[in-house]
Amino acid sequence: MSLDPDTLPSIATTLIDVLFYSNSFSPKEDSESSAGQDSDCIEFFSFSLIDGYISLVMDTEAQRRFPADLLFTSSSGELWRMVRIGGQPLGFDECGIVAQISQPLADGDISAYYISTFSFDHVLVPEEDIVSVTDMLHHQRKEPATT
């Protein structure tokens, strides 16, 4: 999603709340809000400011906290699912991680949006492709590396 920088003052409180206090729910609120959600759902919020343009990537729970008329989303309304890459933080000295993920997806004609963070990498794919993507990545992980 994108956000018009001029609207930032009107959502500053919500933005700060999501960025810094999203894990501060009471156990009762947390169990009620997670009812009906996947048990393996990861809370995710990414805020990028580059050359005055604001990009937001967030889970649906965070999105509900913002006024809908202020967020610009894709015109297709396509939903994306996230896959966390690796079971532990990836090192800065590791090479080819993105290529190992993006090449099989490109070969399968699957769109992907890759986000690297300090602790983990994440790939977002169209929701309708999530099963084939996870199967593809599990299969690739089991194959021995070629030299």
Side-chain angles (χ1 to χ4, degrees):
M1 289 171 224
S2 181
L3 180 67
D4 182 348
D6 293 337
T7 63
L8 200 51
S10 66
I11 63 151
T13 304
T14 303
L15 184 60
I16 290 169
D17 186 48
V18 170
L19 282 168
F20 299 110
Y21 303 107
S22 61
N23 290 322
S24 63
F25 300 115
S26 70
K28 181 181 176 193
E29 289 173 343
D30 193 30
S31 64
E32 288 175 0
S33 67
S34 63
Q37 288 185 2
D38 294 334
S39 61
D40 59 349
C41 180
I42 298 170
E43 289 183 22
F44 189 89
F45 188 86
S46 173
F47 177 93
S48 301
L49 175 63
I50 300 173
D51 289 334
Y53 294 96
I54 299 172
S55 291
L56 304 171
V57 178
M58 65 187 87
D59 59 55
T60 53
E61 289 302 311
Q63 182 181 356
R64 288 185 189 117
R65 298 171 74 178
F66 288 88
D69 59 334
L70 296 183
L71 299 175
F72 302 115
T73 60
S74 72
S75 59
S76 68
E78 185 174 48
L79 296 176
W80 292 67
R81 298 282 304 257
M82 181 178 69
V83 177
R84 179 174 280 175
I85 306 302
Q88 59 188 11
L90 304 172
F92 288 116
D93 58 344
E94 296 184 46
C95 298
I97 301 289
V98 176
Q100 291 175 34
I101 304 303
S102 62
Q103 189 60 55
L105 297 178
D107 292 344
D109 198 30
I110 297 172
S111 299
Y113 181 70
Y114 204 90
I115 298 175
S116 293
T117 67
F118 183 79
S119 298
F120 293 98
D121 285 9
H122 306 84
V123 63
L124 286 92
V125 297
E127 186 171 43
E128 66 269 6
D129 294 322
I130 190 67
V131 173
S132 59
V133 167
T134 54
D135 289 347
M136 184 184 313
L137 294 175
H138 282 286
H139 176 72
Q140 180 182 349
R141 184 175 71 184
K142 292 177 184 175
E143 287 183 2
T146 57
T147 56

